Amino acid sequence: MNNFQDSVFNIYHYISEESLQLIFKVALIIVITLPFLYILRGWAKRFFTKKYAPHYGMLAGKLVFYSGLIIMLVTVMGELGISLAPLLGAAGIVGIAIGFASQTSVSNIISGLFLIAEQPFKVDDIITINNTTGIVMSIDILSVKLRTFDNQFVRIPNEMIIKTEVTNVTRFPIRRFNGVVSVAYKENIGRVRELLMEVAEKNKFSLSEPEPLIIFDAFGQSSIDLRFLVWAPREDFIQLKNSIQEEVKAKFDEEGIEIPFPHVSLYAGSASEALPIKMVNKSDELADNENKESSN
Amino acid sequence: MNENIWGNISLIDQGKRYFSIGDLHLWLAYQNDEIWISYAYESDLEGPVDRDHPPKNAEWSRWAHKISSSELNIRPVFPDLPLVVHSEYTLKISPKTQIQIYTRIPIWVRISIADNDYQLIELPTAKLSRTWFGTPTEGELCYHAVTKARRDLSDVEQKPYLVSCPITISNRSEGELNFEHFCFRVERLSMYGYNNAFWADETQIIFQGEDLNSDVIMTGKLYDGITKDQLLSPPRKNIQKSLATRTFKIFEDALTFGR
């Protein structure tokens, strides 16, 4: 019985001592290298984020990690006695086959390289692509990941970004709010300008320079339209947009400036004569009816 | 200013305290081992100020600190951003000319725990609007201020919320310097107390020409009669004594902003 157990459970019957040593060696390489790579990636990410920007931190982290991973794999394969030459040869043949099948992925990778080199945006920038606006979470080999303001995750392939118009909302430090203010034709435009400048001056998010501008835009159908252009630091832009329009409304209400809505005039056949309206006094009509009834 | 605001004050002895300086109204209180601070500006008040209670639209902020200290330190400091100072009347400085002007700017009030100087809050004594100094693609955020650019301050009424800053401007260019506005980097200045007024050390600006940076030098020179012992607050940025930077020029083409 003991002989049987020895022969079944003795590992050396299945695997040689050299193989065990090799497995131990490979495991040791993986166990030491992987945590080291994670630490190195974290360090590179922190260093480049602090020194340059989060965008560079993320790129440096990935570069360090994947380079290390490739070196580790080559070392492990060397230890296992797997020659790289036939593998690379086979990879060439397989590569052609895969290349045909994965044109989109390759295109995305190359587009990703262009994105990294051209830098139309960085991690943490706010961008608009087609109708999607969001904060850039990461710029990866195949795609760019965005988080929209209603907290949705959007993955956009790099190839599409290269082909499409991209608006970087936060590239520059200041932004202009382009408001349109409509006032009634009867209003004094000089006075309206003064009031708008006063509102811009008092708004805590607006900048004094570049100076706010008020441009006479058009004689509208029902109103005179003015463009009200006010600058703000990019981080205060939303607050400016939100507050200044409310303040304009409040100021106009306070000063009795009319903000008109579309007016439509109706004429009965002739533009020169007003629509004829007959005024009927209901109480008089009732009294007449009562008199008629009593006389009957 | 109704009562001396500067220095150490104890809240436990007198409960709630009220101060006013410039446009700032300040209420301080100590209760349940917490420091309570509320403030309002003159423009926010709808009627006369109530010294016992802040107005309804002013909220209290609370601080709980590891040291239960009721003693606060209040001191004047320079604004936390540079100032773009506009001259009320344009001053033209001829080539190869050096002048000294004085500009007075509103101070900030810094409130800290007296025991360990832990900073609680900083408040301006006057509401200043913000402005941009630079181009649309790069520049710096500043406060906007107006100066009379006086040549002499001897006949000027003292205001407890203003700090007087002597500035020497040297026009070393071949052209005229049209002094309408300049970027005043106050974060590099120290503040001194002298004759119940606040003074800054001297700034020297050397204008080299329209297309060149100006040299801004913090000479450290003090106004006559002031000594180093009268220092109230050191510079916010204690770095190099001089820098070459854009000081007089803002935007090359303002017209493009309207498009």
Side-chain angles (χ1 to χ4, degrees):
Chain A
M1 186 68 183
N2 280 344
N3 284 343
F4 173 74
Q5 276 184 345
D6 282 348
S7 60
V8 171
F9 296 109
N10 193 343
I11 197 164
Y12 292 108
H13 289 163
Y14 305 100
I15 196 162
S16 68
E17 200 171 327
E18 289 79 30
S19 302
L20 259 181
Q21 277 179 357
L22 192 64
I23 291 168
F24 181 73
K25 210 171 173 182
V26 167
L28 200 67
I29 290 171
I30 293 170
V31 165
I32 292 171
T33 314
L34 270 184
F36 176 72
L37 280 180
Y38 279 113
I39 292 167
L40 206 64
R41 181 174 72 171
W43 176 83
K45 200 173 171 181
R46 276 194 302 277
F47 177 79
F48 283 92
T49 301
K50 200 176 169 188
K51 202 161 174 68
Y52 301 104
H55 172 78
Y56 294 106
M58 203 172 270
L59 281 177
K62 279 178 184 166
L63 192 73
V64 165
F65 185 74
Y66 289 115
S67 307
L69 211 61
I70 289 167
I71 293 168
M72 189 191 81
L73 278 174
V74 170
T75 314
V76 166
M77 283 163 77
E79 287 297 327
L80 293 172
I82 303 166
S83 173
L84 276 177
L87 264 182
L88 289 173
I93 299 159
V94 174
I96 293 165
I98 292 173
F100 279 111
S102 60
Q103 279 183 28
T104 314
S105 303
V106 174
S107 169
N108 277 325
I109 290 169
I110 292 167
S111 302
L113 293 176
F114 280 119
L115 277 182
I116 289 165
E118 195 190 356
Q119 287 186 19
F121 49 80
K122 293 176 187 161
V123 172
D124 290 341
D125 277 354
I126 297 171
I127 59 168
T128 301
I129 298 170
N130 293 330
N131 291 322
T132 308
T133 300
I135 302 162
V136 178
M137 291 171 70
S138 69
I139 303 164
D140 294 328
I141 296 190
L142 292 175
S143 63
V144 167
K145 275 95 177 178
L146 296 186
R147 183 176 69 81
T148 62
F149 293 111
D150 54 350
N151 220 20
Q152 294 186 61
F153 176 84
V154 182
R155 178 189 176 277
I156 304 168
N158 288 339
E159 189 189 0
M160 190 181 160
I161 294 172
I162 289 286
K163 286 178 182 170
T164 320
E165 181 182 298
V166 179
T167 307
N168 188 335
V169 179
T170 50
R171 177 68 170 255
F172 299 127
I174 51 172
R175 283 184 71 190
R176 193 181 73 184
F177 165 67
N178 303 327
V180 176
V181 177
S182 299
V183 292
Y185 272 89
K186 68 179 171 77
E187 301 300 348
N188 178 341
I189 299 302
R191 176 77 184 131
V192 171
R193 277 179 189 276
E194 274 174 25
L195 294 175
L196 288 175
M197 286 305 274
E198 203 180 308
V199 168
E201 218 170 83
K202 283 188 179 165
N203 185 287
K204 65 176 176 178
F205 303 108
S206 73
L207 291 172
S208 305
E209 297 261 359
E211 214 177 343
L213 273 181
I214 296 151
I215 295 173
F216 195 112
D217 199 34
F219 290 103
Q221 282 192 330
S222 317
S223 60
I224 287 174
D225 300 330
L226 303 167
R227 280 169 67 204
F228 184 34
L229 313 174
V230 189
W231 290 83
R234 67 177 168 212
E235 53 275 15
D236 293 340
F237 181 78
I238 294 297
Q239 286 101 314
L240 173 87
K241 191 176 174 182
N242 206 23
S243 59
I244 204 158
Q245 303 198 85
E246 273 185 43
E247 286 162 14
V248 167
K249 170 79 170 66
K251 192 76 188 170
F252 280 9
D253 287 350
E254 191 186 311
E255 298 288 329
I257 303 285
E258 186 187 344
I259 302 175
F261 48 85
H263 289 168
V264 177
S265 298
L266 289 177
Y267 300 99
S270 167
S272 57
E273 287 177 23
L275 192 72
I277 298 169
K278 186 183 175 187
M279 298 295 291
V280 178
N281 190 327
K282 203 175 178 182
S283 56
D284 290 350
E285 202 179 40
L286 280 172
D288 286 348
N289 288 342
E290 279 171 11
N291 289 337
K292 280 178 193 171
E293 279 171 13
S294 59
S295 62
N296 289 340
Chain B
M1 191 166 53
N2 50 358
E3 161 178 16
N4 184 28
I5 183 172
W6 312 117
N8 285 4
I9 57 154
S10 174
L11 295 174
I12 214 152
D13 299 339
Q14 296 183 39
K16 205 177 285 175
R17 300 283 297 266
Y18 163 80
F19 299 98
S20 83
I21 178 166
D23 291 344
L24 175 69
H25 297 273
L26 188 64
W27 290 265
L28 306 168
Y30 185 77
Q31 55 191 61
N32 301 328
D33 291 339
E34 289 175 355
I35 292 158
W36 290 50
I37 299 175
S38 181
Y39 62 91
Y41 286 90
E42 196 63 41
S43 56
D44 303 331
L45 300 174
E46 284 164 2
V49 67
D50 181 352
R51 297 168 66 94
D52 296 328
H53 301 285
K56 280 177 188 166
N57 54 2
E59 286 180 4
W60 285 101
S61 301
R62 300 158 55 190
W63 277 268
H65 201 61
K66 61 179 177 184
I67 309 166
S68 299
S69 174
S70 62
E71 196 160 281
L72 296 179
N73 176 268
I74 306 180
R75 84 173 99 130
V77 289
F78 273 102
D80 55 354
L81 292 176
L83 274 90
V84 171
V85 183
H86 281 247
S87 176
E88 199 173 316
Y89 305 106
T90 307
L91 176 66
K92 292 178 192 295
I93 304 168
S94 311
K96 313 294 175 197
T97 305
Q98 178 171 304
I99 62 161
Q100 184 168 51
I101 58 161
Y102 295 92
T103 181
R104 298 199 299 168
I105 57 172
I107 53 170
W108 258 227
V109 173
R110 180 184 287 170
I111 305 173
S112 8
I113 305 270
D115 290 341
N116 57 4
D117 211 26
Y118 180 81
Q119 190 183 316
L120 301 178
I121 195 169
E122 277 189 1
L123 300 163
T125 54
K127 275 187 179 177
L128 293 178
S129 62
R130 294 176 308 167
T131 190
W132 187 251
F133 188 77
T135 67
T137 54
E138 58 177 332
E140 55 190 319
L141 195 61
C142 302
Y143 289 115
H144 178 266
V146 177
T147 180
K148 286 195 162 57
R150 295 174 204 271
R151 306 296 296 275
D152 180 21
L153 285 182
S154 53
D155 295 333
V156 181
E157 184 201 349
Q158 282 189 2
K159 299 239 168 102
Y161 61 93
L162 296 177
V163 52
S164 305
C165 311
I167 302 166
T168 303
I169 302 174
S170 301
N171 181 5
R172 291 204 187 152
S173 74
E174 296 300 323
E176 194 174 68
L177 168 59
N178 202 354
F179 175 63
E180 281 176 359
H181 50 239
F182 73 105
C183 184
F184 192 21
R185 290 179 170 81
V186 292
E187 68 275 21
R188 290 173 168 83
L189 294 175
S190 305
M191 197 183 294
Y192 296 85
Y194 175 65
N195 275 352
N196 294 322
F198 300 119
W199 284 87
D201 48 337
E202 189 198 57
T203 303
Q204 189 179 7
I205 303 171
I206 301 167
F207 179 69
Q208 313 275 11
E210 277 273 309
D211 300 321
L212 296 170
N213 283 336
S214 297
D215 292 328
V216 180
I217 304 162
M218 282 69 203
T219 61
K221 196 176 147 191
L222 300 177
Y223 186 71
D224 291 344
I226 303 177
T227 60
K228 293 271 180 197
D229 305 338
Q230 288 156 313
L231 178 75
L232 294 173
S233 57
R236 282 180 186 269
K237 282 188 184 171
N238 212 351
I239 49 172
Q240 74 267 37
K241 284 277 182 191
S242 68
L243 66 155
T245 179
R246 288 274 166 197
T247 299
F248 293 103
K249 205 172 186 182
I250 299 188
F251 293 103
E252 282 185 348
D253 187 8
L255 286 175
T256 56
F257 289 104
R259 288 181 191 158

